């Protein structure tokens, strides 16, 4: 019996070591929180601090004819996108996915959604109000924004880093990205996702939780 137990001992030691390593690995994985990148150009100031790309000041009207500025998003995590109400291609898919975000965070005051119309000449506040009614959404949780076309295009292409412009060769007369842009409480872009793909939006929701912590 002693001989048999002696033979088993090295095996048990090996088994315990493997088990300890597995527990350590699981614990390490659970405690390592995913770090989201800061997207866009960055600079270094005179003090040697890194200054990350930030969404600048803006001022647009929402579906309730109320001015919305960057100050309304202070301390908020938000998702931005670009659309137009007569879009015949990707917008319906995008809005289906954005509604998932809206419903999930409907009661969370620190979350906002802003959708910029790239056809502001047609998408006036009245049109946007009808569109919001059809979607069954309300401001300020989800602001549908309209305003100066040049300002909207510049904001999309330069600051949110997505396509947003007029193009007569495209269906509906405009071209825009299907991207959902995730922005943190300091207006830094932290993620860009394909808003037409459910799995991509799942990733956005996971990353949103990281920012909300």
């Amino acid at each position: 019996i002693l001989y048999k137990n002696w033979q088993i001992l090295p095996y048990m030691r090996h088994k315990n070591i493997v088990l300890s390593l597995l527990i350590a690995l699981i614990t390490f994985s659970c405690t390592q929180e995913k770090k989201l990148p800061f997207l866009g150009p960055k600079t270094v100031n005179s003090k040697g601090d890194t200054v990350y790309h930030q969404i600048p000041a803006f001022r647009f009207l929402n579906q309730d004819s109320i001015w919305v500025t960057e100050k309304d998003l202070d301390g908020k995590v938000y998702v931005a996108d670009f659309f137009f109400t007569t879009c015949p291609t990707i917008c319906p898919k995008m809005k289906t996915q954005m509604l998932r975000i809206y419903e999930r965070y409907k009661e969370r005051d620190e979350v906002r959604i802003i959708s910029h119309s790239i056809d502001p000449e047609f998408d006036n506040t009245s049109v946007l109000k009808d569109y919001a009614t059809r979607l069954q959404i309300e401001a300020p949780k989800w602001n549908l924004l309209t305003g100066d076309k040049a300002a909207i295009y510049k904001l999309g292409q330069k600051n949110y880093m997505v396509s947003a412009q007029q193009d007569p060769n495209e269906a509906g007369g405009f071209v825009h990205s299907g991207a959902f842009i995730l922005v943190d409480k300091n207006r830094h872009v932290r993620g860009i996702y394909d808003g037409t793909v459910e799995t991509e939006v799942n990733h956005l929701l996971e990353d949103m939780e990281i920012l909300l912590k």
Side-chain angles (χ1 to χ4, degrees):
I1 293 171
L2 285 173
Y3 172 76
K4 287 182 178 178
N5 287 342
W6 182 257
Q7 293 291 91
I8 290 172
L9 214 55
Y11 167 76
M12 293 300 294
R13 286 200 192 98
H14 176 71
K15 187 176 180 180
N16 288 337
I17 290 170
V18 171
L19 186 60
S20 298
L21 287 173
L22 283 173
I23 292 171
L25 182 61
I26 292 168
T27 304
F28 177 78
S29 298
C30 292
T31 56
Q32 293 304 297
E33 189 172 60
K34 179 181 176 183
K35 301 293 184 182
L36 300 184
F38 289 84
L39 303 183
K42 57 187 177 182
T43 58
V44 178
N45 63 21
S46 57
K47 297 179 181 179
D49 299 322
T50 300
V51 179
Y52 294 104
H53 174 70
Q54 187 179 53
I55 301 302
F58 61 83
R59 187 170 184 259
F60 301 113
L61 283 170
N62 74 0
Q63 66 264 39
D64 295 327
S65 299
I66 294 172
W67 288 107
V68 175
T69 75
E70 78 288 349
K71 289 182 174 57
D72 294 297
L73 298 170
D74 283 349
K76 311 292 185 186
V77 173
Y78 73 92
V79 181
D81 74 340
F82 292 80
F83 81 111
F84 58 109
T85 60
T86 58
C87 172
T89 53
I90 61 175
C91 290
K93 289 182 180 180
M94 293 170 65
K95 290 300 168 273
T96 296
Q97 292 301 319
M98 195 69 89
L99 278 167
R100 292 178 58 206
I101 302 171
Y102 179 81
E103 291 298 331
R104 178 164 178 170
Y105 293 104
K106 199 172 184 178
E107 306 304 323
R108 298 282 296 272
D109 183 61
E110 67 269 42
V111 174
R112 291 287 186 271
I113 299 170
I114 56 174
S115 294
H116 306 78
S117 172
I118 58 172
D119 185 12
E121 292 173 355
F122 179 80
D123 289 339
N124 56 36
T125 55
S126 177
V127 171
L128 292 181
K129 185 64 175 179
D130 290 342
Y131 191 76
T133 301
R134 292 199 301 274
L135 288 177
Q136 297 183 323
I137 63 171
E138 295 181 353
K141 174 61 67 179
W142 188 346
N143 285 301
L144 306 177
L145 301 179
T146 188
D148 180 74
K149 183 164 63 174
I152 293 169
Y153 292 176
K154 180 180 179 181
L155 188 67
Q157 296 178 118
K158 181 178 180 181
N159 302 117
Y160 285 110
M161 300 168 287
V162 297
S163 58
Q165 61 187 345
Q166 199 162 2
D167 188 341
N169 297 316
E170 291 291 327
F174 297 87
V175 60
H176 67 100
S177 169
F180 288 177
I181 306 104
L182 179 60
V183 183
D184 68 19
K185 295 179 180 182
N186 296 309
R187 303 202 314 277
H188 298 132
V189 177
R190 307 301 296 275
I192 299 177
Y193 315 79
D194 188 339
T196 67
V197 179
E198 183 177 356
T199 53
E200 282 281 300
V201 178
N202 290 343
H203 291 317
L204 183 154
L205 291 170
E206 292 169 2
D207 293 347
M208 175 90 80
E209 288 299 321
I210 294 172
L211 293 185
L212 288 171
K213 289 178 183 178

